[in-house]
Amino acid sequence: MIQIEGFVTGIAQENCYLIHNEKNLLVVDPGSEGDRLIQEIERIGKTPQAILLTHTHYDHIGAVEQIRNKYGIPVYVNPLEQKWLGDPILNLSGLGRHDNMPDLIVQPAEYEFEMKEYTIGGMTFQVVPTPGHSIGSVSFIFDDFVVVGDALFRGSIGRTDLYTGDMQQLLYSIKTYLFTLPHELAAYPGHGEATTIGREIDTNPFFN
């Protein structure tokens, strides 16, 4: 049985997810507040296996180094955004959005995603491309839920006015890779409340 727990982090109110089975744990998008995330990992009591990134904007990667160094685990990212990790302009931390934010430089990810099925720590998921919010955005499809990053939100979609954003590409990504999933499947976004695929097909104003 795979469980997912979400934790809102940082000034951007980003959702980090801890996904775990009986023994192991995956960290998705550790955006900020590394100390608190480590406390939650310790509370859950499962062995961290990897950090998975839906994309590399600053609010999704701010605690990557702290958690990677604490547990000695690898990071997975889309190769299209590998270099964004170490570039404050590309990951948006260096654009002066917040006065107290230092430039964010994250060391390269150990692994670059292929668009295929992975099994890590006994947990199997499919990686699918969902660009449009950013060129390298991906989603992770598990049996009982999908983690969609900033592609799809409850009642909305990701913003497309940032570098490599593309509205038509995002709408295509959602319709092709997410709206073809079972309607009852829970969807966990990078910000805001969880939803279901069916709810968004039926009520999301960008598609209705």
Side-chain angles (χ1 to χ4, degrees):
M1 179 68 180
I2 296 178
Q3 296 179 275
I4 181 169
E5 300 184 41
F7 302 91
V8 179
T9 76
I11 50 179
Q13 297 288 283
E14 179 268 348
N15 292 328
C16 170
Y17 294 105
L18 303 180
I19 299 170
H20 51 94
N21 60 11
E22 295 81 4
K23 296 182 178 180
N24 298 311
L25 179 144
L26 303 171
V27 182
V28 178
D29 290 355
S32 186
E33 300 181 50
D35 288 343
R36 181 165 71 94
L37 293 177
I38 288 170
Q39 287 182 346
E40 297 294 348
I41 291 169
E42 296 298 311
R43 173 188 60 79
I44 292 169
K46 310 297 173 59
T47 304
Q49 297 293 318
I51 297 170
L52 313 179
L53 300 178
T54 63
H55 65 296
T56 60
H57 287 156
Y58 75 91
D59 54 324
H60 291 252
I61 64 172
V64 165
E65 293 291 30
Q66 187 175 355
I67 292 175
R68 170 159 55 184
N69 293 336
K70 167 73 173 178
Y71 295 106
I73 56 176
V75 176
Y76 289 73
V77 72
N78 189 325
L80 294 173
E81 293 187 16
Q82 172 74 276
K83 70 178 182 179
W84 295 27
L85 290 167
D87 188 325
I89 299 301
L90 294 177
N91 67 40
L92 308 182
S93 63
L95 297 184
R97 293 174 176 277
H98 304 284
D99 292 339
N100 60 348
M101 178 182 291
D103 286 357
L104 187 56
I105 297 175
V106 177
Q107 295 303 305
E110 286 79 3
Y111 296 104
E112 295 182 348
F113 280 125
E114 299 177 46
M115 300 301 125
K116 67 175 188 178
E117 186 174 274
Y118 285 81
T119 299
I120 303 174
M123 290 169 278
T124 298
F125 58 95
Q126 181 82 24
V127 181
V128 296
T130 46
H133 173 66
S134 69
I135 192 64
S137 290
V138 297
S139 296
F140 309 127
I141 304 169
F142 291 77
D143 284 346
D144 297 322
F145 57 86
V146 55
V147 180
V148 297
D150 287 2
L152 180 66
F153 298 124
R154 185 183 177 105
S156 188
I157 61 173
R159 60 188 293 184
T160 57
D161 60 331
L162 302 169
Y163 177 61
T164 73
D166 185 313
M167 172 70 81
Q168 293 308 311
Q169 185 180 50
L170 182 56
L171 295 174
Y172 174 84
S173 296
I174 293 169
K175 287 188 284 190
T176 303
Y177 291 104
L178 300 179
F179 282 1
T180 51
L181 297 172
H183 282 218
E184 67 274 12
L185 199 69
Y188 290 91
H191 303 268
E193 296 179 69
T195 184
T196 65
I197 295 299
R199 177 189 173 92
E200 299 314 309
I201 290 172
D202 292 339
T203 67
N204 191 298
F206 287 88
F207 302 92
N208 290 280

